Amino acid sequence: MATVKEAVKESLLGTTVEPQLSQQARANFEKHARRDDDGELFMNEDDFINAIAPESENYHKIKREQYAILYRVADRRKTGRISVQDWATFENLLSKPDAEYEIAFRLFDEDGTGTIKYDNFQKLYQLNKGDDSIPFDWNSEWASLYIGSRKHRHDMTYPQFSQMLRGLQGERIRQAFQLFDKDGDGYIEPEDFQRIILETAKHKLSDHILENLQTLCNISTGSKISYANVRAFQNVIREMDLVDLVIRNATQKSEDGKITRTDFLNEAARITRFSLFTPMEADILFHFAGLDAPSGRLALGDFAKVLDASWQSAYALGVGATEAASEVVSRGKRYLHNVLESAHHFALGSIAGAFGAFVVYPIDLVKTRMQNQRSSRVGQVLYKNSIDCARKVIQNEGFKGLYSGVLPQLVGVAPEKAIKLTVNDLIRGHFSEKDTGKIKLPYEILAGGSAGACQVVFTNPLEIVKIRLQVQGEVAKTTEGVPRRSAMWIVKNLGLVGLYKGASACLLRDVPFSAIYFPTYNHLKRDFFGEGPTKKLGVVQLLTAGAIAGMPAAYLTTPCDVIKTRLQVEARKGDTKYTSLRHCARTVYAEEGFRAFFKGGPARILRSSPQFGFTLAAYEVLQKTLPMPGSAQDEGPDIGGHVEPGVGLREAKAPLPYLRSRNALKIILDLDENFGRPKGVGKMGWIPLPFGKGVGGS
């Protein structure tokens, strides 16, 4: 019973929750997990690798077996198995903006205390580094700045550890250079430089660079490589993303799409606050990019061999044809998806519109009769106010009289509300920022006004038939011998042109109504009720936002609604027959005064405000209950793709958890290229501390 109460409370009042395990993540866990003797699902190390590192992805740089390192992070309780709760925690960790560094920190914080003890860090490092790795001096001045000197060692916090990792690769290269510079003259052999880079940065560089490392000596006279060359090379690989941006901008400005070293440096000066690239760094970049085209003018494709860490010969040959074919297919899919999405919005809008109209229809009938009542006819004022009108309708025509003309209203309101909601959604989507979803107020007003204008195609015929059905009940009571007409008779009698009588007044009412309503509704949801990625509004909050937004929109457009009603109601004997919108406005003002323009205003608020509240609340509930198939934002499972961001800052196409995991491993492998590689048959990829809480794994 408590569960039912909680469910109802969450549905009505909304919820504010921490990010939970998504359906996609849960499905991935269930796909790869196995059951124990008690029937509980869990993952061992192999299952985890299958889930986090799909076989379809590229493991040319970082071997698939090295993903076992992450298993130690996911197994937070050191039980040797990962439950669905552990998997949810790991998925949540991957969603953090600093996930890569936090994963590295947790790997060494085996006790989970929030700090890394130097002794534990040293032992883990020694247990897992390669046997033939270039030695690293943890007692160096550089290391002492982070961990303290020998006599004053201190634990490392997460920020300290992260910052140490940020500069670790450069220090490893510096120490390795000094190790191989046996003469102390500031130069090393090309073969030694190659070994240094292969051990410190192999996992971050393309095959093209790795295969041609020894050629770096050719950018200057002599056959050796200086420390300046090594430092410049390291700066280039560290700033690859910025290099990519500079090259993209420069090639776009070039007539033939090719640039020189001078073009690169000039563009770098334009888009950076400081000249971040030295002449030697530019020489190194153009040296490696131009090995196959030594003309000095290079295109984006030449730089791809340097910038793209996943570059391979097979990839270079097939990427053009693959991407062209993918673009054709994706363009067709996008077009079909847009058509189906519009149809989906239209269907949900139809159901929501009919629901909202039915709920408030009696108020709409009272509003129409109040607006059609002419105070200039002495002795013929039937209703004192809206409540008196409702009471007399029930007294004279029965409760069913409150729903006179409801059928054509339900039939017509479905496409009317559907087109309004669809057009508003489409225009808002077009002008919204893709990353944040934010939209400027003028575009919000444009979207709402356009939606109101488009709905008139359905609104006007619907309104004129509905209004005549609504007032014929009171005509029958006040005038003898007047027959009741059906909706079909009214349609045939009016004809196509007659159905659009008063369309100008309808436009004058619906455009400002929607221009006021939709922006107000969205700002109430976001700014007043606090809707956001982690807060989902309940039905009560959606209804309240819709109702409040409808109040100013309904009342401020009442004069237009009065004019529309007068134009569309068939004039009785002795009544003034209106010929146009302007004539109607002048006549009403002359005969009944300014207050006549706000007749039925309260009833209009009581009708329009809750109607749109119910409609939009129903629309949003339906969108969540019946989402469009294929509209989930989760990354697809096991999708093979380009695992590195492409040249021109094109995003990688692999699943996001895999990308984040790979990036975390890049940082961890900065410590040692051999981390995670078993040191023998049947050996573990990552060796934990002997006194840890549990070894686990296979």
Side-chain angles (χ1 to χ4, degrees):
M1 188 65 184
T3 305
V4 175
K5 287 182 179 178
E6 289 172 4
V8 172
K9 182 179 178 181
E10 288 180 2
S11 177
L12 292 175
L13 301 180
T15 55
T16 302
V17 294
E18 294 296 323
Q20 298 293 317
L21 190 64
S22 66
Q23 289 184 345
Q24 184 61 54
R26 184 177 293 277
N28 195 26
F29 176 82
E30 292 175 351
K31 176 182 177 182
H32 296 98
R34 62 185 69 196
R35 293 190 183 276
D36 60 14
D37 295 338
D38 297 326
E40 183 180 348
L41 287 171
F42 75 98
M43 283 183 181
N44 62 19
E45 186 175 294
D46 292 335
D47 300 329
F48 177 83
I49 294 175
N50 290 333
I52 204 69
E55 291 185 358
S56 58
E57 295 303 339
N58 188 315
Y59 300 99
H60 182 61
K61 298 296 175 191
I62 300 175
K63 301 305 179 185
R64 190 163 178 263
E65 63 197 20
Q66 291 180 288
Y67 282 78
I69 294 174
L70 304 181
Y71 179 75
R72 305 299 161 182
V73 177
D75 183 17
R76 55 198 174 95
R77 296 173 297 171
K78 312 302 180 192
T79 60
R81 51 188 282 164
I82 294 176
S83 66
V84 67
Q85 292 83 11
D86 297 327
W87 180 254
T89 302
F90 184 72
E91 283 278 339
N92 181 251
L93 174 60
L94 290 177
S95 69
K96 291 187 174 183
D98 56 343
E100 293 85 353
Y101 282 99
E102 189 162 342
I103 286 173
F105 180 80
R106 292 192 184 188
L107 179 66
F108 288 94
D109 179 21
E110 284 214 335
D111 298 331
T113 59
T115 58
I116 295 176
K117 293 178 173 59
Y118 170 75
D119 290 340
N120 290 353
F121 173 74
Q122 261 295 306
K123 289 174 183 176
L124 282 170
Y125 175 79
Q126 294 296 333
L127 282 170
N128 290 282
K129 75 179 184 67
D131 295 333
D132 298 324
S133 297
I134 298 173
F136 182 81
D137 181 12
W138 288 101
N139 295 312
S140 65
E141 289 185 13
W142 179 89
S144 297
L145 294 174
Y146 291 98
I147 58 179
S149 61
R150 286 187 178 183
K151 295 181 179 180
H152 301 91
R153 298 293 192 204
H154 61 77
D155 297 346
M156 282 183 285
T157 63
Y158 171 54
Q160 291 170 339
F161 181 76
S162 302
Q163 204 59 45
M164 184 193 74
L165 289 182
R166 184 84 168 88
L168 178 64
Q169 188 179 67
E171 177 63 13
R172 287 187 67 199
I173 291 174
R174 187 193 67 80
Q175 288 191 22
F177 185 92
Q178 285 187 319
L179 179 69
F180 290 111
D181 180 19
K182 301 186 185 302
D183 298 333
D185 60 356
Y187 288 91
I188 60 174
E189 296 293 336
E191 294 79 12
D192 294 331
F193 170 71
Q194 184 178 36
R195 183 184 173 189
I196 291 172
I197 298 304
L198 288 176
E199 286 203 23
T200 59
K202 179 182 177 182
H203 54 287
K204 293 182 176 179
L205 300 176
S206 69
D207 283 2
H208 175 76
I209 292 179
L210 296 176
E211 291 166 1
N212 294 283
L213 284 171
Q214 295 184 34
T215 65
L216 184 62
C217 64
N218 296 329
I219 70 167
S220 58
T221 57
S223 60
K224 290 189 175 184
I225 295 174
S226 69
Y227 182 68
N229 296 148
V230 175
R231 178 59 69 184
F233 178 84
Q234 190 217 347
N235 289 345
V236 171
I237 64 176
R238 189 177 59 187
E239 299 292 345
M240 278 297 190
D241 288 335
L242 181 57
V243 170
D244 191 342
L245 179 62
V246 174
I247 290 172
R248 182 180 58 166
N249 284 8
T251 53
Q252 286 176 346
K253 295 175 181 177
S254 172
E255 292 182 359
D256 60 355
K258 295 182 178 181
I259 61 171
T260 63
R261 173 182 175 276
T262 302
D263 296 328
F264 172 81
L265 289 174
N266 288 341
E267 187 61 31
R270 290 189 189 99
I271 67 172
T272 60
R273 290 184 173 86
F274 308 99
S275 296
L276 291 179
F277 299 102
T278 65
M280 183 180 286
E281 289 165 4
D283 288 340
I284 289 174
L285 173 64
F286 274 75
H287 165 72
F288 283 105
L291 284 173
D292 298 329
S295 63
R297 288 184 61 81
L298 304 178
L300 202 59
D302 298 316
F303 291 105
K305 295 176 290 187
V306 176
L307 300 174
D308 190 350
S310 63
W311 189 91
Q312 295 173 252
S313 298
Y315 162 70
L317 292 172
V319 69
T322 302
E323 289 195 353
S326 298
E327 178 61 24
V328 172
V329 174
S330 63
R331 196 182 299 123
K333 286 183 177 179
R334 283 197 300 269
Y335 177 77
L336 179 60
H337 181 270
N338 289 339
V339 172
L340 293 175
E341 186 177 37
S342 297
H344 180 257
H345 285 329
F346 195 89
L348 296 188
S350 298
I351 299 170
F355 172 72
F358 184 82
V359 171
V360 300
Y361 190 81
I363 304 173
D364 184 55
L365 180 132
V366 170
K367 182 268 307 179
T368 301
R369 293 201 179 180
M370 288 297 296
Q371 288 180 340
N372 187 53
Q373 181 172 257
R374 306 196 185 190
S375 57
S376 60
R377 291 201 298 266
V378 180
Q380 293 193 28
V381 177
L382 293 176
Y383 315 118
K384 298 175 184 177
N385 50 49
S386 298
I387 296 175
D388 182 56
C389 178
R391 184 177 57 79
K392 286 181 177 177
V393 168
I394 296 173
Q395 180 181 330
N396 296 328
E397 305 169 47
F399 184 77
K400 290 177 64 177
L402 292 173
Y403 282 91
S404 297
V406 69
L407 189 58
Q409 168 78 346
L410 295 181
V411 172
V413 80
E416 173 213 328
K417 291 295 184 286
I419 198 168
K420 174 186 280 192
L421 295 169
T422 301
V423 170
N424 179 68
D425 276 358
L426 290 176
I427 297 179
R428 282 183 68 90
H430 178 74
F431 288 109
S432 296
E433 295 177 8
K434 290 181 173 58
D435 296 333
T436 63
K438 293 182 179 178
I439 181 173
K440 295 180 179 178
L441 182 60
Y443 293 131
E444 286 189 284
I445 295 172
L446 175 65
S450 301
C454 291
Q455 80 171 65
V456 172
V457 176
F458 293 99
T459 302
N460 210 79
L462 162 70
E463 291 275 332
I464 197 168
V465 174
K466 179 195 72 173
I467 286 171
R468 296 200 173 189
L469 287 170
Q470 286 179 337
V471 300
Q472 73 176 355
E474 71 175 21
V475 174
K477 290 294 180 182
T478 58
T479 308
E480 294 183 4
V482 177
R484 278 185 172 272
R485 306 295 187 183
S486 66
M488 289 304 298
W489 185 93
I490 294 172
V491 171
K492 290 178 182 178
N493 185 56
L494 287 171
L496 182 61
V497 176
L499 286 172
Y500 284 92
K501 186 177 180 180
S504 55
C506 204
L507 271 171
L508 198 61
R509 178 198 66 176
D510 290 345
V511 171
F513 181 95
S514 296
I516 295 170
Y517 182 81
F518 282 110
T520 306
Y521 174 70
N522 283 287
H523 279 278
L524 280 169
K525 286 198 303 175
R526 186 179 70 239
D527 302 332
F528 186 76
F529 289 106
E531 183 182 46
T534 60
K535 182 173 182 179
K536 180 180 68 174
L537 298 187
V539 176
V540 171
Q541 292 160 316
L542 293 173
L543 279 172
T544 305
I548 294 173
M551 291 177 184
Y555 195 75
L556 293 174
T557 56
T558 298
C560 304
D561 194 48
V562 170
I563 294 171
K564 180 194 70 68
T565 300
R566 296 291 180 89
L567 285 170
Q568 292 180 335
V569 172
E570 190 175 5
R572 306 177 199 171
K573 290 181 181 180
D575 288 346
T576 303
K577 189 172 183 180
Y578 306 117
T579 57
S580 67
L581 188 150
R582 184 176 298 176
H583 175 253
C584 179
R586 271 203 311 262
T587 305
V588 170
Y589 181 73
E591 293 182 355
E592 305 173 54
F594 182 76
R595 291 182 62 184
F597 287 111
F598 287 91
K599 280 186 175 182
R604 182 165 160 74
I605 290 175
L606 289 173
R607 191 270 298 180
S608 296
S609 179
Q611 178 180 355
F612 276 88
F614 279 114
T615 298
L616 276 172
Y619 183 63
E620 297 203 18
V621 169
L622 285 170
Q623 279 186 317
K624 294 170 185 175
T625 308
L626 302 171
M628 181 177 171
S631 64
Q633 297 300 312
D634 293 320
E635 299 287 342
D638 297 359
I639 301 174
H642 194 191
V643 297
E644 296 282 352
V647 180
L649 300 183
R650 292 172 299 172
E651 65 180 24
K653 298 182 178 68
L656 187 58
Y658 168 76
L659 296 175
R660 273 274 167 79
S661 302
R662 190 205 63 235
N663 289 341
L665 284 175
K666 282 184 179 180
I667 293 173
I668 293 169
L669 295 182
D670 280 349
L671 283 160
D672 193 283
E673 185 74 26
N674 294 296
F675 274 9
R677 291 185 177 179
K679 296 181 180 180
V681 179
K683 299 288 186 178
M684 290 185 294
W686 178 261
I687 305 172
L689 293 177
F691 52 85
K693 294 180 181 179
V695 177
S698 59

